[in-house]
Amino acid sequence: MQFSLVINGCLVSAEQPAVRVPWWSFSKTAIAATALSLVRDGLVGLDDSVPEGPFTLRQLLRHEAGLADYGELADYYAAVAQHAAPWPAEEMLQRLDATRLRYTPGTGWRYSNVGYLYAVRLIERVSGLELEQALEQRLFAPLGLPCVRLARTRADLQDVHMGGSSAYDPGWVYHGLLVSPLDEAVLCLERLLGGDLLPAWLLREMHSARALGGPIAGRPWIAPGYALGLMQGTAQGGQLLSGHTGCGPGSVVAVYRCVQNGKAASCAVFAEGADEGVVEAEAVSRLTMALAAPADLP
């Protein structure tokens, strides 16, 4: 298990190799932030409908658009396990019958990677840039993160710690799989939520979460919710967390931030395996210790 920790803006990680790890669904936080930078610049509205359907950017980023998810397809998991070549995106959407909404947008909640594929297409249309360029120009360069990159092929993962799935093809992540040293993952969240990349009103919108019920068995969430590209809610111990967990074949990453009594801490934890609860609990534990440390420490 690896971890990286930021307290009051200062990186205080334990010494560890700067090996790249997959962000898995923490990539959604970066995609959401990039889309919100377009909102900041007046290029798109949060509540404007998008061409892919009768839903808005806000509903896409908060999983309220009524879309299904390709994770529901048994053939998807079988193809990944067999190390098959990824299906073209349009074939995946056809297999999923993605144009058939599962509920009226805005009236329900259903986690959907397809929604983030559509958010990526919106970013590319509006910015006139490929996703990797848009992420670099609008997010990673302003936040001072030179080592984050978008993995598109198996060759792009040769120097990435993939846990138990060294043959994985990142093309199976249709909205894009980001990779970086763990330090840059935690700095991304800290600088995004604690900095001025987005104006205060837009950060408030980003933190506006839909409540998703009570405790989750085997995980540290007491009152989970989902905001704009952020898993957000109360964890065991009473901390209000904002960030994202990501899980893929062979590994899990959890990247979260907490502000308490004027002190801010962000933590990223990466581990092999598939137990999201263990990795999330480790992040919560390290955040709790960081926030309980004397105020004069970094």
Side-chain angles (χ1 to χ4, degrees):
M1 188 175 289
Q2 299 177 33
F3 79 94
S4 188
L5 183 67
V6 173
I7 303 177
N8 287 342
C10 298
L11 189 65
V12 292
S13 305
E15 191 170 319
Q16 58 190 10
V19 62
R20 285 184 171 87
V21 300
W23 286 21
W24 298 123
S25 279
F26 180 55
S27 300
K28 291 183 174 68
T29 302
I31 291 166
T34 302
L36 291 175
S37 78
L38 299 173
V39 176
R40 175 200 65 199
D41 295 344
L43 299 175
V44 68
L46 260 178
D47 296 309
D48 293 347
S49 294
V50 301
E52 284 79 6
F55 36 73
T56 66
L57 174 59
R58 186 194 302 273
Q59 290 165 346
L60 289 176
L61 298 183
R62 222 160 65 151
H63 299 294
E64 295 177 328
L67 294 164
D69 181 55
Y70 52 78
E72 301 164 21
L73 297 173
D75 287 351
Y76 174 85
Y77 290 104
V80 171
Q82 293 163 9
H83 308 303
W87 308 321
E90 294 308 318
E91 178 182 342
M92 177 275 292
L93 293 171
Q94 184 176 26
R95 286 172 179 253
L96 186 60
D97 188 17
T99 58
R100 180 176 62 84
L101 297 182
R102 275 46 174 186
Y103 57 86
T104 302
T107 66
W109 190 89
R110 184 179 184 139
Y111 192 89
S112 175
N113 289 290
V114 171
Y116 274 76
L117 168 61
Y118 291 163
V120 165
R121 289 180 173 180
L122 177 67
I123 289 168
E124 292 182 331
R125 279 196 305 269
V126 174
S127 70
L129 301 170
E130 295 291 326
L131 176 62
E132 190 165 21
Q133 295 172 302
L135 288 166
E136 173 62 22
Q137 291 186 20
R138 291 187 159 270
L139 185 66
F140 300 136
L143 296 184
L145 304 172
C147 297
V148 187
R149 71 172 190 237
L150 186 66
R152 297 181 180 277
T153 68
R154 287 188 174 98
D156 294 333
L157 298 178
Q158 287 183 351
D159 62 346
V160 177
H161 181 16
M162 295 298 292
S165 186
S166 58
Y168 185 75
D169 191 320
W172 285 113
V173 183
Y174 286 92
H175 54 70
L177 176 61
L178 293 167
V179 300
S180 80
L182 199 58
D183 283 355
E184 292 214 359
V186 74
L187 286 171
C188 180
L189 186 67
E190 174 61 31
R191 292 172 180 174
L192 170 62
L193 300 186
D196 59 4
L197 179 79
L198 299 177
W201 71 270
L202 202 46
L203 278 175
R204 287 194 296 271
E205 293 283 4
M206 191 174 191
H207 281 92
S208 178
R210 183 187 186 99
L212 298 177
I216 300 176
R219 298 174 71 174
W221 297 100
I222 299 300
Y226 203 94
L228 302 183
L230 294 172
M231 292 172 61
Q232 180 171 287
T234 306
Q236 292 170 359
Q239 301 94 336
L240 179 64
L241 304 181
S242 297
H244 219 294
T245 300
C247 184
S251 61
V252 179
V253 65
V255 190
Y256 287 94
R257 185 175 192 261
C258 184
V259 179
Q260 190 170 290
N261 299 323
K263 189 174 185 180
S266 296
C267 184
V269 179
F270 174 83
E272 295 187 20
D275 196 327
E276 296 168 287
V278 167
V279 178
E280 289 173 340
E282 181 70 15
V284 171
S285 175
R286 292 193 178 276
L287 286 170
T288 300
M289 290 187 291
L291 292 167
D296 59 345
L297 293 180

